[in-house]
């Protein structure tokens, strides 16, 4: 369900999807995907609201998507044989994600 959250970073109310809820020492934190900014942010429960009627009908500017037929790769280092090869990985490396985001900007 789409809701409205207040983003401290952007300083405004944004439409968002709640991705996860984390329990912390001082209370709960909601991890949200901002639908109009394609960003993830953490929000306190008191900064979340129900989405109003007309606001819900506006199309989202950001969509979650995947790159078709693109699989993550990583560098496999064999210290015994002193070699390094690029091979398949289960997840994208942080450096690869950062590089891709810079290319998009």
């Amino acid at each position: 369900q789409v809701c409205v959250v207040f983003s401290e970073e952007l300083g405004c109310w944004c439409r968002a999807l709640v991705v996860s809820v984390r329990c912390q020492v001082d209370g709960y934190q909601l991890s949200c995907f901002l639908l109009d900014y394609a960003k993830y942010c953490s929000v306190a429960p008191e900064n979340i609201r129900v989405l109003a009627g007309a606001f819900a009908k506006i199309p989202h500017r950001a969509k979650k998507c995947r790159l078709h037929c693109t699989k993550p790769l990583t560098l496999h280092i064999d210290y015994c044989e002193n070699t390094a090869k690029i091979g398949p990985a289960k997840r994208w490396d942080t450096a690869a994600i950062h590089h891709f985001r810079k290319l998009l900007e």
Side-chain angles (χ1 to χ4, degrees):
Q1 181 180 351
V2 179
C3 58
V4 180
V5 298
F6 186 78
S7 170
E8 296 286 336
E9 179 185 348
L10 299 171
C12 63
W13 290 91
C14 308
R15 292 181 296 172
L17 287 173
V18 177
V19 177
S20 65
V21 179
R22 292 185 307 266
C23 183
Q24 297 180 335
V25 176
D26 57 343
Y28 290 98
Q29 246 347 65
L30 303 162
S31 177
C32 299
F33 177 73
L34 303 179
L35 294 170
D36 294 316
Y37 296 94
K39 288 186 173 192
Y40 288 92
C41 71
S42 293
V43 178
E46 55 269 10
N47 289 336
I48 189 167
R49 303 286 188 272
V50 175
L51 188 61
F55 195 38
K57 294 178 184 175
I58 301 170
H60 309 309
R61 293 180 60 199
K63 294 191 185 286
K64 287 186 176 184
C65 59
R66 295 179 181 215
L67 297 175
H68 181 67
C69 294
T70 304
K71 308 242 181 198
L73 298 174
T74 191
L75 186 64
H76 296 286
I77 300 173
D78 188 345
Y79 292 105
C80 297
E81 295 184 21
N82 200 24
T83 60
K85 296 178 185 174
I86 293 179
K90 291 183 180 179
R91 301 188 70 187
W92 289 98
D93 292 329
T94 306
I97 294 169
H98 181 70
H99 177 69
F100 183 72
R101 285 185 178 158
K102 278 192 162 191
L103 289 174
L104 289 175
E105 289 173 2

